[in-house]
Amino acid sequence: MSELSTKQSHIMEYIRDFIEEKDYPPSIRDIQFGCGISSTSVVDYNLRRLEEKGLLRRDREVSRGIELLEGRRRRGTVDVPVLGAIAAGQPIPVPTSDRWASDVEDTVTVTEEMVRGHDNVFALRVKGTSMIEDLIDDGDIVFLEPATTADDGEKVAVWLEDRGEVTLKRLYREQDRIRLQPANSTMPPIYVDPENVRIQGRFISSIRPSG
Amino acid sequence: MSELSTKQSHIMEYIRDFIEEKDYPPSIRDIQFGCGISSTSVVDYNLRRLEEKGLLRRDREVSRGIELLEGRRRRGTVDVPVLGAIAAGQPIPVPTSDRWASDVEDTVTVTEEMVRGHDNVFALRVKGTSMIEDLIDDGDIVFLEPATTADDGEKVAVWLEDRGEVTLKRLYREQDRIRLQPANSTMPPIYVDPENVRIQGRFISSIRPSG
DNA sequence: AATACGGACGAACATCCGTTCGCGAGGCGA
DNA sequence: TCGCCTCGCGAACGGATGTTCGTCCGTATT
């Protein structure tokens, strides 16, 4: 029904790249040559289809009157997927079992400096106040970088296999166990078997949406 | 030398607004009518001047081939002026005396939700850790809304007239004095005469640039 | 006063560019 | 097989738009 043909997604991609590079939309003939299409009418035809599908808006009779309606990201910002909630109080289960999958429930747009120098950053909503002394409050959004290892004392999101839960804590290795330390003096640390722990991500930064 | 004539800044503003609204640049004739200019050549002339001054870039022979080179703000973000540093430890003086003036030393771009619902927001760099228990650390940037009053317990930036300093604290009114309370149990409150205190801004939110 | 120059006018010109139209190749159900 | 629809092709039409050119005016400069 609302599938895009190869040509249509090619056109979309071309428009995106064109705007990204030049800061103004392509003309129909720009698209024609850029996508190797033989006629302007074909471009027009597909543009109409794309407009019907709500992917863009066109101003008639106006040169380059194309406006993309999809996520218009601005230079200097990045969209980070919010994969769900994470416990900073009592550990709570996350919807996906093994590896939190690709079904993104939401997205937050932040300026680049919040995640600068890190790749594949994802975000989680914090529940609880167990990391309050590390300046992470209930309701904050934390940004994490995928990781499977961590140094002692680092703030990490860990998956506790037996509990089926994920939690945000500082991680310390002790003899034959791992200590997950809340940053809240009213809460005791959690001790777990190393085999039971899978590090999922390393803390980068957090934001607190204004209330 | 590089001053803009009235007409030129009018044109710049028009282009900005046009792009903001339509997502593609105006044609020369759009600018002509939009700015009440009698001839397209006048627009062309001034666009060349603006191009020389580095405020925009033009693609010759291309309709709407105008690209603004100034801060291209993206939808959903706002630029907040950073007016300087503020003490969250020992109060430190701010450069301007009475009212921190309009010379902005820097700017931060943040997504709208950080300051949603507030006007004329400005930002200050935090020095010190006196507000650490309110999750505001050294190096954070705090966003404030201009205000001259505050309820008890609110976090405010206050100007201490006799000291010539400004500081970020929680404010409490007591009999005939005002208590400025740090959020750091190792630090004592500051007591000041009400006449000596001028509230400058009310805390909205803060960010912690990733390190 | 003569000259130079920034800035503005208005009109003509040459493209640029969106739109339209006729035609044709497949795919699909009746 | 006969429509009917989707998709594509190529060309031509005409409006949209950037560019250029001759002219004019006001303000220094000489």
Side-chain angles (χ1 to χ4, degrees):
Chain A
M1 186 53 176
S2 98
E3 290 300 315
L4 263 55
S5 72
T6 312
K7 192 163 298 195
Q8 282 163 7
S9 53
H10 190 184
I11 290 177
M12 285 299 290
E13 186 185 354
Y14 182 78
I15 297 176
R16 250 191 301 274
D17 293 348
F18 192 101
I19 294 179
E20 180 68 25
E21 181 188 336
K22 311 241 200 181
D23 251 34
Y24 54 77
S27 68
I28 285 195
R29 281 172 183 78
D30 286 335
I31 299 173
Q32 180 190 351
F33 292 111
C35 296
I37 296 170
S38 57
S39 172
T40 59
S41 61
V42 177
V43 178
D44 181 66
Y45 171 80
N46 284 288
L47 248 28
R48 286 171 190 272
R49 291 292 100 70
L50 289 169
E51 188 175 19
E52 283 172 7
K53 294 176 185 181
L55 293 176
L56 50 83
R57 196 180 59 75
R58 294 179 75 193
D59 277 3
R60 300 307 170 82
E61 316 270 313
V62 170
S63 71
R64 302 172 190 273
I66 298 175
E67 176 183 358
L68 288 184
L69 294 179
E70 55 175 7
R72 52 285 275 286
R73 70 180 44 200
R74 305 230 144 199
R75 224 178 292 266
T77 67
V78 288
D79 292 335
V80 180
V82 180
L83 299 181
I86 188 174
Q90 286 310 95
I92 61 174
V94 292
T96 53
S97 54
D98 180 53
R99 177 68 185 156
W100 28 43
S102 51
D103 64 321
V104 176
E105 80 176 51
D106 200 359
T107 247
V108 292
T109 303
V110 295
T111 44
E112 250 169 17
E113 56 259 34
M114 294 303 293
V115 297
R116 178 135 49 207
H118 303 278
D119 296 323
N120 300 118
V121 175
F122 60 95
L124 296 170
R125 240 183 300 279
V126 172
K127 301 292 180 191
T129 59
S130 82
M131 299 297 281
I132 193 75
E133 288 157 17
D134 278 334
L135 311 182
I136 300 169
D137 199 2
D138 183 71
D140 286 7
I141 290 175
V142 292
F143 298 103
L144 300 137
E145 175 181 38
T148 53
T149 62
D151 292 332
D152 270 23
E154 274 197 303
K155 295 187 278 290
V156 290
V158 295
W159 167 255
L160 304 179
E161 203 145 352
D162 60 352
R163 305 198 197 188
E165 293 169 345
V166 69
T167 185
L168 178 67
K169 294 285 181 298
R170 283 182 181 273
L171 177 144
Y172 296 90
R173 273 168 263 270
E174 301 184 345
Q175 305 90 278
D176 54 353
R177 65 184 186 181
I178 283 179
R179 173 162 56 93
L180 299 175
Q181 182 71 269
N184 184 328
S185 48
T186 70
M187 297 184 184
I190 300 174
Y191 296 99
V192 291
D193 187 297
E195 298 302 312
N196 187 33
V197 173
R198 291 234 217 118
I199 297 176
Q200 302 276 25
R202 193 178 293 137
F203 175 86
I204 297 173
S205 58
S206 65
I207 63 170
R208 183 168 314 122
S210 79
Chain B
M1 183 58 172
S2 97
E3 289 301 314
L4 265 55
S5 72
T6 313
K7 194 166 296 191
Q8 283 164 6
S9 52
H10 190 186
I11 289 177
M12 285 299 290
E13 187 185 356
Y14 181 78
I15 296 176
R16 251 191 301 274
D17 293 348
F18 192 101
I19 294 179
E20 181 68 24
E21 181 187 337
K22 312 243 199 178
D23 251 34
Y24 53 78
S27 69
I28 286 198
R29 281 174 182 77
D30 287 335
I31 299 173
Q32 180 189 351
F33 292 112
C35 296
I37 297 171
S38 58
S39 171
T40 59
S41 60
V42 177
V43 178
D44 181 67
Y45 172 81
N46 284 288
L47 285 180
R48 286 171 191 270
R49 293 284 105 46
L50 290 169
E51 189 175 17
E52 283 172 8
K53 295 176 185 183
L55 292 175
L56 50 83
R57 197 181 60 74
R58 294 179 74 192
D59 277 3
R60 299 309 169 82
E61 317 271 311
V62 170
S63 72
R64 301 170 190 275
I66 297 175
E67 176 183 359
L68 289 184
L69 294 179
E70 55 173 9
R72 50 288 272 291
R73 69 180 47 197
R74 304 232 145 200
R75 223 179 293 267
T77 66
V78 289
D79 291 335
V80 181
V82 180
L83 298 181
I86 189 172
Q90 288 308 94
I92 60 174
V94 291
T96 53
S97 54
D98 181 53
R99 178 67 182 157
W100 30 42
S102 51
D103 64 321
V104 175
E105 80 176 52
D106 200 0
T107 248
V108 291
T109 304
V110 295
T111 43
E112 250 169 16
E113 57 259 33
M114 293 303 293
V115 298
R116 179 137 46 208
H118 302 278
D119 296 324
N120 299 117
V121 174
F122 60 95
L124 295 170
R125 239 183 301 278
V126 172
K127 302 292 180 191
T129 59
S130 82
M131 298 299 280
I132 193 75
E133 287 157 18
D134 277 335
L135 311 182
I136 299 169
D137 198 2
D138 182 71
D140 286 7
I141 290 174
V142 293
F143 298 102
L144 300 137
E145 176 181 38
T148 53
T149 62
D151 293 332
D152 270 24
E154 274 196 303
K155 295 187 279 290
V156 291
V158 295
W159 167 255
L160 303 178
E161 202 145 354
D162 59 353
R163 304 198 197 192
E165 292 168 344
V166 69
T167 186
L168 178 66
K169 295 283 180 299
R170 284 181 181 274
L171 178 145
Y172 296 90
R173 273 167 264 270
E174 301 185 347
Q175 304 88 280
D176 55 354
R177 64 183 185 182
I178 283 178
R179 172 163 56 95
L180 299 175
Q181 182 69 268
N184 183 327
S185 46
T186 70
M187 297 185 184
I190 300 173
Y191 296 98
V192 291
D193 188 296
E195 297 302 312
N196 187 32
V197 173
R198 291 235 216 115
I199 297 175
Q200 301 278 25
R202 194 177 292 136
F203 175 86
I204 297 172
S205 59
S206 66
I207 63 170
R208 184 167 312 122
S210 79

